[in-house]
Amino acid sequence: MNGDLRVYRSLLRTFLVFVAGALLVLAAVDVVAAHVVSGSPETDPTTGALTTRGQNQRRSDLTWGWSLMVIGGTVMAGSAASFVLRRPVLEVRSDALRVRVAGPQSFLTIPYDEITWVHSAADGDDEVVPPRVLLIHVMSAADYPESLWGAEWDGNTLVVDADSWNRRPEDVATRVDLALEAWRRHPTPLEAEEA
């Protein structure tokens, strides 16, 4: 692979997602067994046995607790896998731009001869903290998949969510522009894609 730039998900964000998953697991343990924050199911004060209402509360606690456990465990496992695997989300190559938006593990390869321009911008959906995006304008969006992960088409412009990257999308856009200009001076054929 002749890539001169690889962009990854931010380690800090991945760690924060892991912590959020751990908090869900802790909440699940509290709801099911510990009852430190959540209240205990209602019991009869004389016998200590669960009342009818307490039995309903216990069933509800088990449902919520196991749901939180599964969700939190899945989030933690996904974050741990991201730490270990460290697969790039974007690669700037000498012949093309590769963005991991075709699926959770699949790259969309856009040859430089099909790219018109690349910019960064704020999405604008959130006025408080606008998410950062990378905009890739291609000759024809019809040549690419319509349904993508973490990206969407706006006409012939691919809008890629860059908010969780370890590099600012402004820096990435500059590097892509440099690679695009170098390719235009000395075009090279598209290399065979790596898995």
Side-chain angles (χ1 to χ4, degrees), residues 131-143:
R132 304 300 297 166
V133 294
L134 185 69
L135 306 170
I136 306 164
H137 191 79
V138 298
M139 303 259 187
S140 174
D143 298 336

PDB file of all heavy atoms in Angstrom, residues 131-143:
ATOM      1  N   PRO A 131     -20.891  18.962  14.304  1.00  0.00           N
ATOM      2  CA  PRO A 131     -19.963  17.883  13.988  1.00  0.00           C
ATOM      3  C   PRO A 131     -19.155  18.236  12.745  1.00  0.00           C
ATOM      4  O   PRO A 131     -19.646  18.900  11.837  1.00  0.00           O
ATOM      5  CB  PRO A 131     -20.869  16.680  13.743  1.00  0.00           C
ATOM      6  CG  PRO A 131     -22.215  17.240  13.489  1.00  0.00           C
ATOM      7  CD  PRO A 131     -22.274  18.580  14.140  1.00  0.00           C
ATOM      8  N   ARG A 132     -17.916  17.804  12.727  1.00  0.00           N
ATOM      9  CA  ARG A 132     -17.028  18.070  11.613  1.00  0.00           C
ATOM     10  C   ARG A 132     -17.247  17.006  10.548  1.00  0.00           C
ATOM     11  O   ARG A 132     -17.445  15.830  10.860  1.00  0.00           O
ATOM     12  CB  ARG A 132     -15.572  18.063  12.066  1.00  0.00           C
ATOM     13  CG  ARG A 132     -15.286  19.035  13.195  1.00  0.00           C
ATOM     14  CD  ARG A 132     -15.589  20.477  12.849  1.00  0.00           C
ATOM     15  NE  ARG A 132     -14.720  20.894  11.762  1.00  0.00           N
ATOM     16  CZ  ARG A 132     -14.888  21.987  11.044  1.00  0.00           C
ATOM     17  NH1 ARG A 132     -15.912  22.775  11.276  1.00  0.00           N
ATOM     18  NH2 ARG A 132     -14.074  22.303  10.084  1.00  0.00           N
ATOM     19  N   VAL A 133     -17.198  17.423   9.278  1.00  0.00           N
ATOM     20  CA  VAL A 133     -17.385  16.502   8.166  1.00  0.00           C
ATOM     21  C   VAL A 133     -16.319  16.750   7.112  1.00  0.00           C
ATOM     22  O   VAL A 133     -15.763  17.847   7.006  1.00  0.00           O
ATOM     23  CB  VAL A 133     -18.791  16.624   7.529  1.00  0.00           C
ATOM     24  CG1 VAL A 133     -19.871  16.192   8.499  1.00  0.00           C
ATOM     25  CG2 VAL A 133     -19.053  18.029   7.028  1.00  0.00           C
ATOM     26  N   LEU A 134     -16.052  15.706   6.335  1.00  0.00           N
ATOM     27  CA  LEU A 134     -15.192  15.814   5.167  1.00  0.00           C
ATOM     28  C   LEU A 134     -16.097  15.694   3.949  1.00  0.00           C
ATOM     29  O   LEU A 134     -16.911  14.767   3.865  1.00  0.00           O
ATOM     30  CB  LEU A 134     -14.139  14.700   5.163  1.00  0.00           C
ATOM     31  CG  LEU A 134     -13.106  14.778   4.039  1.00  0.00           C
ATOM     32  CD1 LEU A 134     -12.176  15.976   4.267  1.00  0.00           C
ATOM     33  CD2 LEU A 134     -12.290  13.496   3.976  1.00  0.00           C
ATOM     34  N   LEU A 135     -15.987  16.651   3.030  1.00  0.00           N
ATOM     35  CA  LEU A 135     -16.819  16.670   1.831  1.00  0.00           C
ATOM     36  C   LEU A 135     -15.967  16.258   0.634  1.00  0.00           C
ATOM     37  O   LEU A 135     -14.931  16.867   0.370  1.00  0.00           O
ATOM     38  CB  LEU A 135     -17.380  18.079   1.595  1.00  0.00           C
ATOM     39  CG  LEU A 135     -18.144  18.701   2.771  1.00  0.00           C
ATOM     40  CD1 LEU A 135     -18.426  20.169   2.502  1.00  0.00           C
ATOM     41  CD2 LEU A 135     -19.424  17.948   3.012  1.00  0.00           C
ATOM     42  N   ILE A 136     -16.411  15.211  -0.060  1.00  0.00           N
ATOM     43  CA  ILE A 136     -15.692  14.708  -1.225  1.00  0.00           C
ATOM     44  C   ILE A 136     -16.647  14.792  -2.413  1.00  0.00           C
ATOM     45  O   ILE A 136     -17.631  14.054  -2.472  1.00  0.00           O
ATOM     46  CB  ILE A 136     -15.229  13.253  -1.012  1.00  0.00           C
ATOM     47  CG1 ILE A 136     -14.419  13.134   0.274  1.00  0.00           C
ATOM     48  CG2 ILE A 136     -14.440  12.758  -2.226  1.00  0.00           C
ATOM     49  CD1 ILE A 136     -14.255  11.707   0.771  1.00  0.00           C
ATOM     50  N   HIS A 137     -16.362  15.692  -3.344  1.00  0.00           N
ATOM     51  CA  HIS A 137     -17.231  15.875  -4.513  1.00  0.00           C
ATOM     52  C   HIS A 137     -16.691  15.014  -5.658  1.00  0.00           C
ATOM     53  O   HIS A 137     -15.527  15.133  -6.032  1.00  0.00           O
ATOM     54  CB  HIS A 137     -17.282  17.348  -4.922  1.00  0.00           C
ATOM     55  CG  HIS A 137     -18.348  17.635  -5.926  1.00  0.00           C
ATOM     56  ND1 HIS A 137     -19.671  17.768  -5.567  1.00  0.00           N
ATOM     57  CD2 HIS A 137     -18.301  17.770  -7.267  1.00  0.00           C
ATOM     58  CE1 HIS A 137     -20.388  18.006  -6.660  1.00  0.00           C
ATOM     59  NE2 HIS A 137     -19.573  18.013  -7.708  1.00  0.00           N
ATOM     60  N   VAL A 138     -17.552  14.139  -6.176  1.00  0.00           N
ATOM     61  CA  VAL A 138     -17.154  13.236  -7.263  1.00  0.00           C
ATOM     62  C   VAL A 138     -17.921  13.584  -8.537  1.00  0.00           C
ATOM     63  O   VAL A 138     -18.897  14.323  -8.509  1.00  0.00           O
ATOM     64  CB  VAL A 138     -17.405  11.756  -6.879  1.00  0.00           C
ATOM     65  CG1 VAL A 138     -16.578  11.363  -5.666  1.00  0.00           C
ATOM     66  CG2 VAL A 138     -18.882  11.492  -6.626  1.00  0.00           C
ATOM     67  N   MET A 139     -17.447  13.029  -9.646  1.00  0.00           N
ATOM     68  CA  MET A 139     -18.099  13.288 -10.941  1.00  0.00           C
ATOM     69  C   MET A 139     -19.543  12.788 -10.945  1.00  0.00           C
ATOM     70  O   MET A 139     -20.441  13.476 -11.400  1.00  0.00           O
ATOM     71  CB  MET A 139     -17.324  12.620 -12.069  1.00  0.00           C
ATOM     72  CG  MET A 139     -15.887  13.063 -12.133  1.00  0.00           C
ATOM     73  SD  MET A 139     -15.694  14.244 -13.413  1.00  0.00           S
ATOM     74  CE  MET A 139     -13.929  14.427 -13.417  1.00  0.00           C
ATOM     75  N   SER A 140     -19.752  11.549 -10.418  1.00  0.00           N
ATOM     76  CA  SER A 140     -21.094  10.973 -10.420  1.00  0.00           C
ATOM     77  C   SER A 140     -21.278  10.048  -9.216  1.00  0.00           C
ATOM     78  O   SER A 140     -20.586   9.036  -9.097  1.00  0.00           O
ATOM     79  CB  SER A 140     -21.332  10.186 -11.712  1.00  0.00           C
ATOM     80  OG  SER A 140     -22.574   9.521 -11.645  1.00  0.00           O
ATOM     81  N   ALA A 141     -22.209  10.400  -8.355  1.00  0.00           N
ATOM     82  CA  ALA A 141     -22.498   9.560  -7.184  1.00  0.00           C
ATOM     83  C   ALA A 141     -23.155   8.251  -7.582  1.00  0.00           C
ATOM     84  O   ALA A 141     -23.141   7.288  -6.818  1.00  0.00           O
ATOM     85  CB  ALA A 141     -23.391  10.316  -6.209  1.00  0.00           C
ATOM     86  N   ALA A 142     -23.711   8.189  -8.789  1.00  0.00           N
ATOM     87  CA  ALA A 142     -24.386   6.969  -9.246  1.00  0.00           C
ATOM     88  C   ALA A 142     -23.418   5.802  -9.385  1.00  0.00           C
ATOM     89  O   ALA A 142     -23.838   4.646  -9.397  1.00  0.00           O
ATOM     90  CB  ALA A 142     -25.075   7.231 -10.585  1.00  0.00           C
ATOM     91  N   ASP A 143     -22.107   6.076  -9.451  1.00  0.00           N
ATOM     92  CA  ASP A 143     -21.098   5.021  -9.580  1.00  0.00           C
ATOM     93  C   ASP A 143     -20.760   4.371  -8.242  1.00  0.00           C
ATOM     94  O   ASP A 143     -19.947   3.442  -8.205  1.00  0.00           O
ATOM     95  CB  ASP A 143     -19.815   5.592 -10.204  1.00  0.00           C
ATOM     96  CG  ASP A 143     -20.044   6.119 -11.603  1.00  0.00           C
ATOM     97  OD1 ASP A 143     -21.000   5.668 -12.267  1.00  0.00           O
ATOM     98  OD2 ASP A 143     -19.269   7.001 -12.037  1.00  0.00           O
TER      99      ASP A 143
END
